[in-house]
């Protein structure tokens, strides 16, 4: 229940204000001020050690998407590595204006085929010109022939080989032949190069914009440069840590862009609140050592609560094996940002002292703003307006967010392919040409692997199994070492090419289907293949199987991720505020705003609207199945970041006054400008990923930026004041046992 004005509510734990400067003992706790040069020396040494490792981190990162590593992945790996089968990892389309059978085309294409055969890392090369000119390797117009290249080694080795071969293919382009390359390894190689280029482009774009906004917010060039410095230290430290992690686990190449965006964004957020509190204490009359101490004990405590919520938000993806490397990056970057902001930054402020306000081009404007009291100003007035009609505001905002969420009900999910690259990228255009000129290449193929099976000694059992497979609903032609099958019958005897289905590792079967891989028919065939009893336990792979495995993994593990997010949020926000309703409200509002974000993503990236706003990409009619999960976990943690900053000031005012309405108004006045500025800054940083040519990164950047903006505007500025007004003193209520636990833990600042 509410405490009288001037007393402390039993459930609250925030005790932080400028009057701490006068309490005994504050001046004695200034170790950061006393050891500022030692802290800075350690920071410089850490940067010198981390920089070389950080610069090499990208070399050890893995390409590829966020697919599950289950049965389908094992089957496809066996087919590629043990049987040299499955789709070729590199496909070269050679187009001759005079026709694929013209003398010049035959000469140059044969030379290229022979050259590729001799390259290291190439296991096998087949082409239209080296296989008796099979019609299936020539386009229907007769102008384009295929060169199919199978690469040896694991996924990373194949990607490295493709990186070396792609320039060779481009250099061979001549008057007689126009060449294009695509395939899994080509896509991975292109992604690695594209993400590097996109990262540099994003940094060049965001740095000047962020600096201008920081100068407007801080009013000082010196103060504005500090968050950027904190961001650089955070990103370097995180990349160096990820470099070490690559020796014990795979780390996705997408971690590079995520680390830079989240690291810079959190560094700016935390620096904003730390530096603002420091300047508040100086303005209140504290000397520099006391201002440092109070700043660390108040803003520093809030920063660490925020960092823990963000880190725990990133911990949720740990339950998904395919997303773990991004979880590693997020956990490390959030904790490092808090560490640097509460150690190195205070040490720098201790050295700068009152010089923090040097070089202020807008000194008069900022001086006028500083004179605005807590009971005046835009944010105080906004809170007052909202709390006069809390029910109306709540209904209106919830209805708006609900409308944004509507498209999510029609979401379709799939996996990424060459179309995640920029539309003009040669590997993308090569994939489009392959689908257009060779329709058979778009057919869905399932791979059924029988590890250790003796195909020669048990040919009768294999023959019967292949007949059963070809008779399943949705199944087309089945090829294996014993021949070709269709509709439950063998239609062709084995040929010399059938030997590719057998190795010392066992045997495999190829099952074609006309069903799209991401449709119920496509996944239904995979389920039927897995349920059919064969001569032994089989592994089913292929695109549809990979999608089904990823979908099942997400469906099975999503409840655990949600449990992690909900339970940690409840515990941390209760420990932070002492109230039970506030954490429940935070979870509900996050779910609402994130669902609205997902609806907007479907509208843009699945349906292809607003490309003029987010940049050109190729809509595929679905979104990557892992993307909503990844955005949900990251955005949930980031939204808690602003929740903690807002609640810290509201709880502080409530402890001081015991007036819920006044506490919300003053808390919003204190933090509204900072939260909005922080959200704008992190939205710029995250939104810069929208400039990426990779659709996955574009969607991630747009989704996270939108989630942050919705949270900082509609949720924090409107819904939070409205709901806290409706709840009144119940915001701070907790059962007696929990209040006693909260007091016993002793999380107050005293």
């Amino acid at each position: 229940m509410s405490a009288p004005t001037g007393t402390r509510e039993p459930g609250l734990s925030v005790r932080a204000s400028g009057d701490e400067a006068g309490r005994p003992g504050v001046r004695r706790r200034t170790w950061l001020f006393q050891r500022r040069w030692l802290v800075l020396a350690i920071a410089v040494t850490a940067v010198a050690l981390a920089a070389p490792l950080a610069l090499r981190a990208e070399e050890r990162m893995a390409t590829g998407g966020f697919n599950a590593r289950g049965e389908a992945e094992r089957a496809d790996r066996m087919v590629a590595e043990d049987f040299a089968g499955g789709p070729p990892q590199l496909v070269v389309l050679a187009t001759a204006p005079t026709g694929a059978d013209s003398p010049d085309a035959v000469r140059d294409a044969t030379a290229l085929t022979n050259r590729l055969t001799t390259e290291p890392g190439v296991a096998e090369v087949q082409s239209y010109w080296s296989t008796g000119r099979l019609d299936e390797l020539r386009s229907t117009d007769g102008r384009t022939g295929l060169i199919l290249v199978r690469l040896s080694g694991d996924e990373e080795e194949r990607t490295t080989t493709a990186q070396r071969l792609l320039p060779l293919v481009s250099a061979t382009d001549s008057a007689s032949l126009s060449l294009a390359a695509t395939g899994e390894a080509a896509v991975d190689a292109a992604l690695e190069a594209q993400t590097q280029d996109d990262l540099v482009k994003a940094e060049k774009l965001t740095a000047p914009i962020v600096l201008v906004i920081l100068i407007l917010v801080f009013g000082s060039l010196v103060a504005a440069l500090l968050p950027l410095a904190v961001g650089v230290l955070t990103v370097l430290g995180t990349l160096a840590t990820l470099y070490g992690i690559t020796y014990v686990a795979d780390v996705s190449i997408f971690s590079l862009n995520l680390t830079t965006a989240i690291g810079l964004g959190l560094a700016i957020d935390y620096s904003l609140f730390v530096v603002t509190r420091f300047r508040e204490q100086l303005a209140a009359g504290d000397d520099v050592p006391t201002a440092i101490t109070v700043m660390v004990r108040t803003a520093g405590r809030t920063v660490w609560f925020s960092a823990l919520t963000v880190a725990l938000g990133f911990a949720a993806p740990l339950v998904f094996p395919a997303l773990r490397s991004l979880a590693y990056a997020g956990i490390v970057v959030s904790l490092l940002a808090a560490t640097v902001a509460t150690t190195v930054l205070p040490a720098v402020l201790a050295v700068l002292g009152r010089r923090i306000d040097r070089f202020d081009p807008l000194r008069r404007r900022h001086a006028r703003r500083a004179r605005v009291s807590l009971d005046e100003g835009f944010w105080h007035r906004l809170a007052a307006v909202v709390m006069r009609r809390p029910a109306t505001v709540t209904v209106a905002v919830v209805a708006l967010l609900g409308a944004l969420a509507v498209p999510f009900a029609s979401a379709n999910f799939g996996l990424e392919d060459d179309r995640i690259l920029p539309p003009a990228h040669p590997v993308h255009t090569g994939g489009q040409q392959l689908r257009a000129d060779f329709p058979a290449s778009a057919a869905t193929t399932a791979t059924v692997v029988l590890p250790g099976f003796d195909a020669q000694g048990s040919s009768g059992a294999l023959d019967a199994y292949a007949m059963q497979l070809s008779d399943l609903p949705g199944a087309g032609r089945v090829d294996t070492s014993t021949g070709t099958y269709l509709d439950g019958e063998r239609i062709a005897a084995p040929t010399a090419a059938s030997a590719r289905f057998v190795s010392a590792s066992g045997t495999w079967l190829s099952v074609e289907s006309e069903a799209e891989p991401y449709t119920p028919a496509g996944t239904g065939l995979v389920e039927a293949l897995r349920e059919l009893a064969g001569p032994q336990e089989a592994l089913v792979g292929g695109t549809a199987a990979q999608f089904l495995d990823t979908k099942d993994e997400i469906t099975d593990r999503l409840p655990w991720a949600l449990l992690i997010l909900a339970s940690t949020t409840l515990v941390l926000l209760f420990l932070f505020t002492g109230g039970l309703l506030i954490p429940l409200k935070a979870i509900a509002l996050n779910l609402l705003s994130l669902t609205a974000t997902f609806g907007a993503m479907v509208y843009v990236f699945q349906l292809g609207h607003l490309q003029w706003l987010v940049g050109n990409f190729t809509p595929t009619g679905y979104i990557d199945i892992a993307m909503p999960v990844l955005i949900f976990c990251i955005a949930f943690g980031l939204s808690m970041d602003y929740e903690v900053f807002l609640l810290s000031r509201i709880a502080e005012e409530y402890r001081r006054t015991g007036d819920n309405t006044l506490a919300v108004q003053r808390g919003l006045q204190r933090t509204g400008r900072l939260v909005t500025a922080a959200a704008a800054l992190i939205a710029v940083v995250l939104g810069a990923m929208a400039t990426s040519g990779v659709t996955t990164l574009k969607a991630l950047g747009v989704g996270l930026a939108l989630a942050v903006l919705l949270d900082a505007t509609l949720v924090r500025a409107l819904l939070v004041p409205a709901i806290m007004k409706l709840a009144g003193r119940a915001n701070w209520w907790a059962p007696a046992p929990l209040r006693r636990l909260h007091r016993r833990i002793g999380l107050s600042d005293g």
Side-chain angles (χ1 to χ4, degrees), residues 72-163:
E73 189 271 339
R74 294 195 302 273
D76 291 342
R77 185 175 67 248
M78 285 192 66
V79 169
E81 297 178 7
D82 298 339
F83 299 95
Q89 294 87 11
L90 184 65
V91 178
V92 179
L93 297 95
T95 302
T98 56
D101 294 316
S102 65
D104 289 343
V106 172
R107 182 194 67 236
D108 292 344
T110 301
L112 176 59
T113 301
N114 295 335
R115 171 69 186 277
L116 290 172
T117 303
T118 63
E119 287 293 319
V122 174
E124 180 187 17
V125 179
Q126 289 183 322
S127 77
Y128 169 69
W129 299 271
S130 66
T131 56
R133 304 189 183 181
L134 293 176
D135 288 342
E136 63 187 47
L137 297 182
R138 186 184 64 179
S139 62
T140 53
D141 64 6
R143 297 173 60 241
T144 302
L146 295 183
I147 302 176
L148 310 179
V149 185
R150 299 190 187 280
L151 307 177
S152 59
D154 59 21
E155 183 179 7
E156 288 307 305
E157 291 171 331
R158 295 195 296 267
T159 300
T160 301
T161 302
Q163 289 172 331

Side-chain angles (χ1 to χ4, degrees), residues 426-437:
V427 174
H428 183 152
T429 57
Q432 296 287 59
Q433 182 184 354
L434 183 65
R435 283 183 286 272
D437 293 348

Side-chain angles (χ1 to χ4, degrees), residues 715-745:
V715 175
R716 300 292 157 234
L718 300 176
L719 271 183
V720 169
I723 292 176
M724 291 192 76
K725 174 64 175 179
L726 292 171
R729 292 178 297 177
N731 286 303
W732 315 102
W733 175 86
L738 290 181
R739 288 203 304 270
R740 288 194 296 269
L741 174 64
H742 186 265
R743 287 197 299 270
R744 191 177 303 119
I745 293 174

Side-chain angles (χ1 to χ4, degrees), residues 349-423:
L349 293 175
V351 172
L352 289 174
R354 297 185 182 276
R355 288 172 293 183
I356 186 72
D357 295 322
R358 296 280 297 274
F359 307 113
D360 183 357
L362 303 172
R363 186 178 297 106
R364 293 182 180 179
R365 177 177 178 271
H366 295 128
R368 288 196 303 270
R369 188 174 62 197
R371 289 193 293 269
V372 176
S373 73
L374 289 179
D375 296 322
E376 300 174 349
F378 170 79
W379 296 102
H380 186 281
R381 294 193 299 272
L382 177 62
V385 170
V386 168
M387 290 192 288
R388 278 199 294 268
R389 299 286 188 275
T392 302
V393 171
T394 300
V395 171
V397 175
V398 169
L400 176 58
L401 293 175
L404 290 175
V406 167
F408 190 53
S410 58
N412 295 321
F413 300 105
L415 301 177
E416 60 189 26
D417 56 23
D418 58 86
R419 287 171 288 186
I420 70 169
L421 290 166

